[in-house]
Each structure stands twice: as C-alpha cells, then as structure tokens.
Amino acid sequence: MAVHESSLGFRHGPKTILNEKTLVVVFMSKDAYTRKYDVDIVRELATDGSPSKLIVVDEKEDEELKNLANWTIDVNKTDTGLNNDFSLALLYVIFAQVLALKKSIELGITPDNPSPEGRVNRVVQGVTIYPWN
C-alpha cells in the first residue's frame, strides 16, 4: 500500500500502520515554515521506537537528517539551489518513480502489465462517458 500524507496528517492515523516491513519516505519541503514540520516528523519517526525504515529525500544534504534516517537521498548536486517546492517536486517524482519500478520488479510485478489476468487494463474499459451539462 502506498499512501500520501502531510507531515502533520501522518500522525493522525497512517502512522498506526507502521511495522517492520514499512518504508516511510519523507520528501522535505524547501519552504522554511513547512520544513519545520517535516523535520519534526523525521525526528519523531527516528526516536519513537518504530520498526519501520525511513528514507529522507531532500534537495541538499542535511547532517541532522542524515543522522536520523536510515537513508538520505539528495536530489540536487549542483551549486545552484532551487527556488521552490514545485521545482523540487519534479526531482522527487523521479526518485518515487524509480523506487516504485524497482520494488515492482523485486515483487515480480511487471510494471507494463500489472494485471496479467485482465482485472486492471492500461486503457480504461467499460466506462460510459456521460455528457457534461
């Protein structure tokens, strides 16, 4: 199962499903205010005894986060910083897509044909498109 949640919202339910097979990925914000909450959830996950594993994906290396997470991924190796979260998100998507692809292959799920028995189709079938009034 894959779930998206904000750093604050994660505490109110999704955190309860963590176990030794769970991988939590925290995509760090560039916005200074939002980032404080992201750092808080990383600290919490690193110190609350959760058996899950933690990946922190950030623009640049952050020594504190590196010490808290099981793995850190720095997506911008250039000297130029990015201006906003939108620009950063484009790099984060690349990481997320590669992680999903590699995990699918590891689990024996063929990404180009996720449902060989035909329950899920690459092109949606059997859906009626009704006129919009």
mmCIF file of all heavy atoms in Angstrom, residues 14-63:
data_model
loop_
_atom_site.group_PDB
_atom_site.id
_atom_site.type_symbol
_atom_site.label_atom_id
_atom_site.label_comp_id
_atom_site.label_asym_id
_atom_site.label_seq_id
_atom_site.Cartn_x
_atom_site.Cartn_y
_atom_site.Cartn_z
ATOM 1 N N PRO A 14 -2.354 7.304 9.695
ATOM 2 C CA PRO A 14 -1.445 6.472 8.906
ATOM 3 C C PRO A 14 -0.243 5.950 9.693
ATOM 4 O O PRO A 14 0.249 4.873 9.425
ATOM 5 C CB PRO A 14 -0.994 7.405 7.776
ATOM 6 C CG PRO A 14 -2.123 8.367 7.626
ATOM 7 C CD PRO A 14 -2.653 8.570 9.025
ATOM 8 N N LYS A 15 0.196 6.683 10.690
ATOM 9 C CA LYS A 15 1.348 6.245 11.479
ATOM 10 C C LYS A 15 1.072 4.923 12.200
ATOM 11 O O LYS A 15 1.995 4.161 12.474
ATOM 12 C CB LYS A 15 1.726 7.337 12.480
ATOM 13 C CG LYS A 15 3.022 7.057 13.207
ATOM 14 C CD LYS A 15 3.384 8.188 14.130
ATOM 15 C CE LYS A 15 4.604 7.780 14.930
ATOM 16 N NZ LYS A 15 4.802 8.585 16.095
ATOM 17 N N THR A 16 -0.193 4.624 12.443
ATOM 18 C CA THR A 16 -0.537 3.401 13.181
ATOM 19 C C THR A 16 -0.286 2.129 12.386
ATOM 20 O O THR A 16 -0.248 1.047 12.970
ATOM 21 C CB THR A 16 -2.015 3.417 13.632
ATOM 22 O OG1 THR A 16 -2.853 3.435 12.465
ATOM 23 C CG2 THR A 16 -2.317 4.596 14.521
ATOM 24 N N ILE A 17 -0.114 2.215 11.071
ATOM 25 C CA ILE A 17 0.090 1.007 10.271
ATOM 26 C C ILE A 17 1.562 0.639 10.111
ATOM 27 O O ILE A 17 1.881 -0.357 9.486
ATOM 28 C CB ILE A 17 -0.568 1.113 8.875
ATOM 29 C CG1 ILE A 17 0.119 2.183 8.033
ATOM 30 C CG2 ILE A 17 -2.057 1.352 8.986
ATOM 31 C CD1 ILE A 17 -0.302 2.192 6.578
ATOM 32 N N LEU A 18 2.465 1.418 10.693
ATOM 33 C CA LEU A 18 3.890 1.149 10.535
ATOM 34 C C LEU A 18 4.271 -0.160 11.205
ATOM 35 O O LEU A 18 3.845 -0.458 12.313
ATOM 36 C CB LEU A 18 4.720 2.284 11.133
ATOM 37 C CG LEU A 18 4.513 3.676 10.551
ATOM 38 C CD1 LEU A 18 5.461 4.666 11.216
ATOM 39 C CD2 LEU A 18 4.667 3.684 9.053
ATOM 40 N N ASN A 19 5.088 -0.943 10.492
ATOM 41 C CA ASN A 19 5.641 -2.154 11.071
ATOM 42 C C ASN A 19 7.033 -2.376 10.491
ATOM 43 O O ASN A 19 7.555 -1.517 9.792
ATOM 44 C CB ASN A 19 4.720 -3.357 10.833
ATOM 45 C CG ASN A 19 4.529 -3.675 9.365
ATOM 46 O OD1 ASN A 19 5.447 -3.549 8.556
ATOM 47 N ND2 ASN A 19 3.328 -4.086 9.002
ATOM 48 N N GLU A 20 7.620 -3.538 10.772
ATOM 49 C CA GLU A 20 8.992 -3.804 10.330
ATOM 50 C C GLU A 20 9.133 -3.915 8.811
ATOM 51 O O GLU A 20 10.235 -3.877 8.284
ATOM 52 C CB GLU A 20 9.543 -5.071 11.000
ATOM 53 C CG GLU A 20 8.833 -6.347 10.618
ATOM 54 C CD GLU A 20 7.492 -6.543 11.319
ATOM 55 O OE1 GLU A 20 7.186 -5.830 12.307
ATOM 56 O OE2 GLU A 20 6.739 -7.423 10.875
ATOM 57 N N LYS A 21 8.021 -4.025 8.087
ATOM 58 C CA LYS A 21 8.068 -4.098 6.624
ATOM 59 C C LYS A 21 7.786 -2.750 5.961
ATOM 60 O O LYS A 21 7.814 -2.643 4.744
ATOM 61 C CB LYS A 21 7.052 -5.123 6.118
ATOM 62 C CG LYS A 21 7.381 -6.538 6.530
ATOM 63 C CD LYS A 21 6.369 -7.495 5.976
ATOM 64 C CE LYS A 21 6.699 -8.918 6.375
ATOM 65 N NZ LYS A 21 5.740 -9.874 5.827
ATOM 66 N N THR A 22 7.516 -1.732 6.763
ATOM 67 C CA THR A 22 7.130 -0.424 6.236
ATOM 68 C C THR A 22 8.350 0.423 5.900
ATOM 69 O O THR A 22 9.307 0.491 6.665
ATOM 70 C CB THR A 22 6.271 0.339 7.263
ATOM 71 O OG1 THR A 22 5.187 -0.468 7.673
ATOM 72 C CG2 THR A 22 5.751 1.636 6.675
ATOM 73 N N LEU A 23 8.276 1.077 4.754
ATOM 74 C CA LEU A 23 9.269 2.064 4.360
ATOM 75 C C LEU A 23 8.566 3.411 4.302
ATOM 76 O O LEU A 23 7.610 3.582 3.545
ATOM 77 C CB LEU A 23 9.861 1.730 2.984
ATOM 78 C CG LEU A 23 10.841 2.755 2.416
ATOM 79 C CD1 LEU A 23 12.088 2.842 3.298
ATOM 80 C CD2 LEU A 23 11.214 2.380 0.991
ATOM 81 N N VAL A 24 9.013 4.347 5.118
ATOM 82 C CA VAL A 24 8.454 5.699 5.120
ATOM 83 C C VAL A 24 9.421 6.592 4.350
ATOM 84 O O VAL A 24 10.621 6.595 4.621
ATOM 85 C CB VAL A 24 8.276 6.240 6.556
ATOM 86 C CG1 VAL A 24 7.764 7.673 6.538
ATOM 87 C CG2 VAL A 24 7.355 5.339 7.368
ATOM 88 N N VAL A 25 8.875 7.329 3.389
ATOM 89 C CA VAL A 25 9.679 8.271 2.614
ATOM 90 C C VAL A 25 9.165 9.674 2.929
ATOM 91 O O VAL A 25 7.991 9.955 2.730
ATOM 92 C CB VAL A 25 9.574 8.000 1.092
ATOM 93 C CG1 VAL A 25 10.436 9.002 0.325
ATOM 94 C CG2 VAL A 25 9.968 6.566 0.766
ATOM 95 N N VAL A 26 10.045 10.518 3.431
ATOM 96 C CA VAL A 26 9.688 11.908 3.725
ATOM 97 C C VAL A 26 10.360 12.785 2.678
ATOM 98 O O VAL A 26 11.584 12.804 2.566
ATOM 99 C CB VAL A 26 10.124 12.322 5.146
ATOM 100 C CG1 VAL A 26 9.778 13.793 5.407
ATOM 101 C CG2 VAL A 26 9.486 11.422 6.194
ATOM 102 N N PHE A 27 9.524 13.491 1.907
ATOM 103 C CA PHE A 27 10.018 14.445 0.919
ATOM 104 C C PHE A 27 10.070 15.811 1.587
ATOM 105 O O PHE A 27 9.031 16.389 1.915
ATOM 106 C CB PHE A 27 9.099 14.472 -0.306
ATOM 107 C CG PHE A 27 9.083 13.176 -1.064
ATOM 108 C CD1 PHE A 27 8.073 12.250 -0.877
ATOM 109 C CD2 PHE A 27 10.089 12.882 -1.974
ATOM 110 C CE1 PHE A 27 8.055 11.056 -1.575
ATOM 111 C CE2 PHE A 27 10.086 11.690 -2.676
ATOM 112 C CZ PHE A 27 9.060 10.773 -2.476
ATOM 113 N N MET A 28 11.260 16.328 1.808
ATOM 114 C CA MET A 28 11.450 17.556 2.557
ATOM 115 C C MET A 28 11.080 18.786 1.732
ATOM 116 O O MET A 28 11.438 18.894 0.568
ATOM 117 C CB MET A 28 12.906 17.676 3.017
ATOM 118 C CG MET A 28 13.380 16.526 3.897
ATOM 119 S SD MET A 28 12.472 16.360 5.448
ATOM 120 C CE MET A 28 12.943 17.871 6.264
ATOM 121 N N SER A 29 10.385 19.703 2.380
ATOM 122 C CA SER A 29 9.975 20.948 1.728
ATOM 123 C C SER A 29 11.127 21.940 1.686
ATOM 124 O O SER A 29 12.008 21.951 2.544
ATOM 125 C CB SER A 29 8.803 21.560 2.494
ATOM 126 O OG SER A 29 8.421 22.786 1.905
ATOM 127 N N LYS A 30 11.078 22.801 0.694
ATOM 128 C CA LYS A 30 12.024 23.905 0.571
ATOM 129 C C LYS A 30 11.551 25.106 1.406
ATOM 130 O O LYS A 30 12.350 25.918 1.845
ATOM 131 C CB LYS A 30 12.131 24.291 -0.918
ATOM 132 C CG LYS A 30 13.039 25.410 -1.229
ATOM 133 C CD LYS A 30 14.416 24.901 -1.482
ATOM 134 C CE LYS A 30 15.271 26.048 -1.997
ATOM 135 N NZ LYS A 30 16.636 25.850 -1.651
ATOM 136 N N ASP A 31 10.235 25.192 1.615
ATOM 137 C CA ASP A 31 9.649 26.282 2.392
ATOM 138 C C ASP A 31 10.082 26.156 3.854
ATOM 139 O O ASP A 31 9.876 25.113 4.482
ATOM 140 C CB ASP A 31 8.122 26.217 2.282
ATOM 141 C CG ASP A 31 7.459 27.299 3.097
ATOM 142 O OD1 ASP A 31 7.416 28.447 2.628
ATOM 143 O OD2 ASP A 31 6.991 26.982 4.220
ATOM 144 N N ALA A 32 10.684 27.198 4.411
ATOM 145 C CA ALA A 32 11.251 27.145 5.761
ATOM 146 C C ALA A 32 10.205 26.785 6.820
ATOM 147 O O ALA A 32 10.486 26.014 7.753
ATOM 148 C CB ALA A 32 11.917 28.473 6.104
ATOM 149 N N TYR A 33 9.006 27.313 6.707
ATOM 150 C CA TYR A 33 7.959 27.033 7.691
ATOM 151 C C TYR A 33 7.497 25.573 7.606
ATOM 152 O O TYR A 33 7.438 24.867 8.599
ATOM 153 C CB TYR A 33 6.782 27.984 7.458
ATOM 154 C CG TYR A 33 5.664 27.817 8.460
ATOM 155 C CD1 TYR A 33 5.809 28.286 9.764
ATOM 156 C CD2 TYR A 33 4.478 27.201 8.108
ATOM 157 C CE1 TYR A 33 4.790 28.136 10.688
ATOM 158 C CE2 TYR A 33 3.454 27.043 9.024
ATOM 159 C CZ TYR A 33 3.620 27.512 10.315
ATOM 160 O OH TYR A 33 2.610 27.360 11.229
ATOM 161 N N THR A 34 7.195 25.119 6.395
ATOM 162 C CA THR A 34 6.744 23.742 6.196
ATOM 163 C C THR A 34 7.836 22.758 6.577
ATOM 164 O O THR A 34 7.568 21.691 7.156
ATOM 165 C CB THR A 34 6.336 23.536 4.723
ATOM 166 O OG1 THR A 34 5.335 24.500 4.389
ATOM 167 C CG2 THR A 34 5.806 22.145 4.477
ATOM 168 N N ARG A 35 9.060 23.100 6.286
ATOM 169 C CA ARG A 35 10.189 22.217 6.575
ATOM 170 C C ARG A 35 10.305 21.900 8.066
ATOM 171 O O ARG A 35 10.720 20.803 8.449
ATOM 172 C CB ARG A 35 11.479 22.841 6.045
ATOM 173 C CG ARG A 35 12.683 21.938 6.165
ATOM 174 C CD ARG A 35 13.926 22.602 5.586
ATOM 175 N NE ARG A 35 15.066 21.728 5.738
ATOM 176 C CZ ARG A 35 15.414 20.796 4.856
ATOM 177 N NH1 ARG A 35 14.723 20.627 3.756
ATOM 178 N NH2 ARG A 35 16.469 20.029 5.073
ATOM 179 N N LYS A 36 9.932 22.837 8.921
ATOM 180 C CA LYS A 36 9.991 22.587 10.368
ATOM 181 C C LYS A 36 9.136 21.375 10.738
ATOM 182 O O LYS A 36 9.538 20.552 11.563
ATOM 183 C CB LYS A 36 9.528 23.828 11.136
ATOM 184 C CG LYS A 36 10.490 24.981 11.047
ATOM 185 C CD LYS A 36 9.954 26.206 11.758
ATOM 186 C CE LYS A 36 10.920 27.361 11.569
ATOM 187 N NZ LYS A 36 10.545 28.555 12.302
ATOM 188 N N TYR A 37 7.964 21.258 10.130
ATOM 189 C CA TYR A 37 7.089 20.120 10.400
ATOM 190 C C TYR A 37 7.656 18.830 9.808
ATOM 191 O O TYR A 37 7.518 17.753 10.390
ATOM 192 C CB TYR A 37 5.679 20.389 9.868
ATOM 193 C CG TYR A 37 4.996 21.502 10.619
ATOM 194 C CD1 TYR A 37 4.909 22.781 10.074
ATOM 195 C CD2 TYR A 37 4.459 21.280 11.882
ATOM 196 C CE1 TYR A 37 4.291 23.805 10.763
ATOM 197 C CE2 TYR A 37 3.837 22.300 12.582
ATOM 198 C CZ TYR A 37 3.753 23.568 12.025
ATOM 199 O OH TYR A 37 3.149 24.584 12.721
ATOM 200 N N ASP A 38 8.301 18.948 8.655
ATOM 201 C CA ASP A 38 8.938 17.781 8.049
ATOM 202 C C ASP A 38 10.070 17.264 8.938
ATOM 203 O O ASP A 38 10.193 16.058 9.167
ATOM 204 C CB ASP A 38 9.497 18.127 6.664
ATOM 205 C CG ASP A 38 8.422 18.490 5.650
ATOM 206 O OD1 ASP A 38 7.234 18.153 5.873
ATOM 207 O OD2 ASP A 38 8.775 19.116 4.629
ATOM 208 N N VAL A 39 10.885 18.178 9.450
ATOM 209 C CA VAL A 39 11.979 17.784 10.345
ATOM 210 C C VAL A 39 11.403 17.154 11.608
ATOM 211 O O VAL A 39 11.918 16.136 12.101
ATOM 212 C CB VAL A 39 12.893 18.984 10.668
ATOM 213 C CG1 VAL A 39 13.899 18.629 11.763
ATOM 214 C CG2 VAL A 39 13.623 19.465 9.420
ATOM 215 N N ASP A 40 10.325 17.715 12.146
ATOM 216 C CA ASP A 40 9.695 17.154 13.349
ATOM 217 C C ASP A 40 9.262 15.704 13.145
ATOM 218 O O ASP A 40 9.484 14.861 14.010
ATOM 219 C CB ASP A 40 8.475 17.982 13.767
ATOM 220 C CG ASP A 40 8.842 19.263 14.481
ATOM 221 O OD1 ASP A 40 10.030 19.454 14.816
ATOM 222 O OD2 ASP A 40 7.920 20.085 14.702
ATOM 223 N N ILE A 41 8.640 15.388 11.996
ATOM 224 C CA ILE A 41 8.170 14.016 11.788
ATOM 225 C C ILE A 41 9.348 13.075 11.593
ATOM 226 O O ILE A 41 9.322 11.927 12.044
ATOM 227 C CB ILE A 41 7.128 13.898 10.647
ATOM 228 C CG1 ILE A 41 6.388 12.557 10.723
ATOM 229 C CG2 ILE A 41 7.770 14.058 9.289
ATOM 230 C CD1 ILE A 41 5.553 12.341 11.946
ATOM 231 N N VAL A 42 10.413 13.545 10.969
ATOM 232 C CA VAL A 42 11.615 12.713 10.842
ATOM 233 C C VAL A 42 12.190 12.425 12.221
ATOM 234 O O VAL A 42 12.517 11.274 12.541
ATOM 235 C CB VAL A 42 12.667 13.381 9.930
ATOM 236 C CG1 VAL A 42 13.999 12.647 9.993
ATOM 237 C CG2 VAL A 42 12.161 13.452 8.496
ATOM 238 N N ARG A 43 12.299 13.449 13.058
ATOM 239 C CA ARG A 43 12.803 13.240 14.434
ATOM 240 C C ARG A 43 11.920 12.250 15.190
ATOM 241 O O ARG A 43 12.413 11.363 15.882
ATOM 242 C CB ARG A 43 12.835 14.568 15.185
ATOM 243 C CG ARG A 43 13.926 15.494 14.774
ATOM 244 C CD ARG A 43 13.866 16.782 15.579
ATOM 245 N NE ARG A 43 14.842 17.747 15.122
ATOM 246 C CZ ARG A 43 14.612 19.050 15.038
ATOM 247 N NH1 ARG A 43 13.447 19.563 15.401
ATOM 248 N NH2 ARG A 43 15.559 19.854 14.604
ATOM 249 N N GLU A 44 10.616 12.433 15.070
ATOM 250 C CA GLU A 44 9.673 11.559 15.767
ATOM 251 C C GLU A 44 9.817 10.102 15.317
ATOM 252 O O GLU A 44 9.885 9.193 16.136
ATOM 253 C CB GLU A 44 8.246 12.049 15.527
ATOM 254 C CG GLU A 44 7.191 11.280 16.278
ATOM 255 C CD GLU A 44 5.813 11.865 16.080
ATOM 256 O OE1 GLU A 44 5.671 13.109 16.037
ATOM 257 O OE2 GLU A 44 4.861 11.071 15.978
ATOM 258 N N LEU A 45 9.858 9.888 14.014
ATOM 259 C CA LEU A 45 9.975 8.530 13.490
ATOM 260 C C LEU A 45 11.300 7.882 13.875
ATOM 261 O O LEU A 45 11.372 6.670 14.098
ATOM 262 C CB LEU A 45 9.809 8.525 11.974
ATOM 263 C CG LEU A 45 8.398 8.813 11.479
ATOM 264 C CD1 LEU A 45 8.405 9.096 9.983
ATOM 265 C CD2 LEU A 45 7.457 7.663 11.815
ATOM 266 N N ALA A 46 12.351 8.686 13.964
ATOM 267 C CA ALA A 46 13.672 8.158 14.295
ATOM 268 C C ALA A 46 13.819 7.809 15.770
ATOM 269 O O ALA A 46 14.672 7.009 16.129
ATOM 270 C CB ALA A 46 14.746 9.162 13.888
ATOM 271 N N THR A 47 12.959 8.395 16.618
ATOM 272 C CA THR A 47 13.166 8.223 18.059
ATOM 273 C C THR A 47 12.011 7.561 18.801
ATOM 274 O O THR A 47 12.110 7.346 20.004
ATOM 275 C CB THR A 47 13.443 9.591 18.721
ATOM 276 O OG1 THR A 47 12.327 10.450 18.510
ATOM 277 C CG2 THR A 47 14.715 10.227 18.161
ATOM 278 N N ASP A 48 10.920 7.224 18.103
ATOM 279 C CA ASP A 48 9.755 6.691 18.828
ATOM 280 C C ASP A 48 9.707 5.165 18.888
ATOM 281 O O ASP A 48 8.723 4.585 19.316
ATOM 282 C CB ASP A 48 8.455 7.237 18.230
ATOM 283 C CG ASP A 48 8.120 6.664 16.870
ATOM 284 O OD1 ASP A 48 8.935 5.905 16.313
ATOM 285 O OD2 ASP A 48 7.040 6.984 16.350
ATOM 286 N N GLY A 49 10.766 4.518 18.443
ATOM 287 C CA GLY A 49 10.816 3.064 18.511
ATOM 288 C C GLY A 49 10.096 2.351 17.378
ATOM 289 O O GLY A 49 9.924 1.139 17.418
ATOM 290 N N SER A 50 9.689 3.076 16.365
ATOM 291 C CA SER A 50 9.014 2.465 15.228
ATOM 292 C C SER A 50 9.966 1.497 14.525
ATOM 293 O O SER A 50 11.128 1.824 14.292
ATOM 294 C CB SER A 50 8.572 3.551 14.238
ATOM 295 O OG SER A 50 8.113 2.961 13.037
ATOM 296 N N PRO A 51 9.475 0.313 14.166
ATOM 297 C CA PRO A 51 10.332 -0.652 13.472
ATOM 298 C C PRO A 51 10.470 -0.379 11.976
ATOM 299 O O PRO A 51 11.207 -1.067 11.279
ATOM 300 C CB PRO A 51 9.598 -1.976 13.701
ATOM 301 C CG PRO A 51 8.155 -1.585 13.787
ATOM 302 C CD PRO A 51 8.151 -0.234 14.466
ATOM 303 N N SER A 52 9.766 0.635 11.471
ATOM 304 C CA SER A 52 9.809 0.942 10.035
ATOM 305 C C SER A 52 11.173 1.506 9.655
ATOM 306 O O SER A 52 11.953 1.928 10.498
ATOM 307 C CB SER A 52 8.708 1.933 9.673
ATOM 308 O OG SER A 52 8.903 3.148 10.356
ATOM 309 N N LYS A 53 11.440 1.517 8.370
ATOM 310 C CA LYS A 53 12.658 2.121 7.826
ATOM 311 C C LYS A 53 12.297 3.494 7.273
ATOM 312 O O LYS A 53 11.177 3.728 6.824
ATOM 313 C CB LYS A 53 13.251 1.263 6.715
ATOM 314 C CG LYS A 53 13.665 -0.116 7.175
ATOM 315 C CD LYS A 53 14.765 -0.032 8.200
ATOM 316 C CE LYS A 53 15.200 -1.431 8.602
ATOM 317 N NZ LYS A 53 15.913 -1.443 9.844
ATOM 318 N N LEU A 54 13.256 4.410 7.272
ATOM 319 C CA LEU A 54 12.997 5.803 6.918
ATOM 320 C C LEU A 54 13.978 6.302 5.864
ATOM 321 O O LEU A 54 15.190 6.206 6.040
ATOM 322 C CB LEU A 54 13.099 6.676 8.178
ATOM 323 C CG LEU A 54 12.938 8.172 8.039
ATOM 324 C CD1 LEU A 54 11.561 8.539 7.482
ATOM 325 C CD2 LEU A 54 13.164 8.855 9.383
ATOM 326 N N ILE A 55 13.421 6.810 4.770
ATOM 327 C CA ILE A 55 14.199 7.495 3.739
ATOM 328 C C ILE A 55 13.803 8.962 3.767
ATOM 329 O O ILE A 55 12.615 9.283 3.761
ATOM 330 C CB ILE A 55 13.917 6.949 2.328
ATOM 331 C CG1 ILE A 55 14.346 5.496 2.203
ATOM 332 C CG2 ILE A 55 14.636 7.797 1.267
ATOM 333 C CD1 ILE A 55 14.026 4.882 0.843
ATOM 334 N N VAL A 56 14.780 9.838 3.788
ATOM 335 C CA VAL A 56 14.526 11.265 3.678
ATOM 336 C C VAL A 56 15.071 11.718 2.331
ATOM 337 O O VAL A 56 16.237 11.484 2.015
ATOM 338 C CB VAL A 56 15.196 12.058 4.823
ATOM 339 C CG1 VAL A 56 15.092 13.553 4.580
ATOM 340 C CG2 VAL A 56 14.579 11.681 6.159
ATOM 341 N N VAL A 57 14.202 12.339 1.536
ATOM 342 C CA VAL A 57 14.593 12.867 0.237
ATOM 343 C C VAL A 57 14.596 14.389 0.373
ATOM 344 O O VAL A 57 13.593 14.988 0.768
ATOM 345 C CB VAL A 57 13.630 12.406 -0.881
ATOM 346 C CG1 VAL A 57 14.145 12.864 -2.239
ATOM 347 C CG2 VAL A 57 13.460 10.890 -0.854
ATOM 348 N N ASP A 58 15.731 14.993 0.074
ATOM 349 C CA ASP A 58 15.900 16.424 0.296
ATOM 350 C C ASP A 58 16.678 17.021 -0.879
ATOM 351 O O ASP A 58 17.303 16.298 -1.649
ATOM 352 C CB ASP A 58 16.677 16.638 1.603
ATOM 353 C CG ASP A 58 16.456 17.994 2.228
ATOM 354 O OD1 ASP A 58 15.809 18.865 1.606
ATOM 355 O OD2 ASP A 58 16.946 18.203 3.363
ATOM 356 N N GLU A 59 16.633 18.333 -0.984
ATOM 357 C CA GLU A 59 17.387 18.975 -2.063
ATOM 358 C C GLU A 59 18.888 18.799 -1.842
ATOM 359 O O GLU A 59 19.601 18.342 -2.722
ATOM 360 C CB GLU A 59 17.063 20.459 -2.171
ATOM 361 C CG GLU A 59 17.863 21.112 -3.270
ATOM 362 C CD GLU A 59 17.700 22.609 -3.366
ATOM 363 O OE1 GLU A 59 17.064 23.221 -2.503
ATOM 364 O OE2 GLU A 59 18.237 23.173 -4.341
ATOM 365 N N LYS A 60 19.340 19.158 -0.691
ATOM 366 C CA LYS A 60 20.769 19.104 -0.363
ATOM 367 C C LYS A 60 20.964 18.283 0.908
ATOM 368 O O LYS A 60 20.046 18.104 1.704
ATOM 369 C CB LYS A 60 21.322 20.519 -0.124
ATOM 370 C CG LYS A 60 21.188 21.463 -1.299
ATOM 371 C CD LYS A 60 22.197 21.146 -2.363
ATOM 372 C CE LYS A 60 22.135 22.201 -3.471
ATOM 373 N NZ LYS A 60 23.066 21.907 -4.533
ATOM 374 N N GLU A 61 22.183 17.837 1.121
ATOM 375 C CA GLU A 61 22.494 17.060 2.320
ATOM 376 C C GLU A 61 22.266 17.893 3.577
ATOM 377 O O GLU A 61 22.637 19.055 3.652
ATOM 378 C CB GLU A 61 23.956 16.600 2.269
ATOM 379 C CG GLU A 61 24.331 15.712 3.427
ATOM 380 C CD GLU A 61 25.750 15.192 3.321
ATOM 381 O OE1 GLU A 61 26.054 14.537 2.304
ATOM 382 O OE2 GLU A 61 26.542 15.469 4.236
ATOM 383 N N ASP A 62 21.630 17.264 4.559
ATOM 384 C CA ASP A 62 21.375 17.886 5.853
ATOM 385 C C ASP A 62 21.928 16.925 6.906
ATOM 386 O O ASP A 62 21.452 15.794 7.018
ATOM 387 C CB ASP A 62 19.875 18.107 6.034
ATOM 388 C CG ASP A 62 19.518 18.761 7.352
ATOM 389 O OD1 ASP A 62 19.861 18.193 8.416
ATOM 390 O OD2 ASP A 62 18.876 19.826 7.329
ATOM 391 N N GLU A 63 22.921 17.347 7.641
ATOM 392 C CA GLU A 63 23.619 16.461 8.568
ATOM 393 C C GLU A 63 22.691 15.874 9.638
ATOM 394 O O GLU A 63 22.789 14.686 9.963
ATOM 395 C CB GLU A 63 24.786 17.206 9.228
ATOM 396 C CG GLU A 63 25.807 16.290 9.849
ATOM 397 C CD GLU A 63 26.481 15.342 8.849
ATOM 398 O OE1 GLU A 63 26.732 15.739 7.696
ATOM 399 O OE2 GLU A 63 26.738 14.191 9.231
#
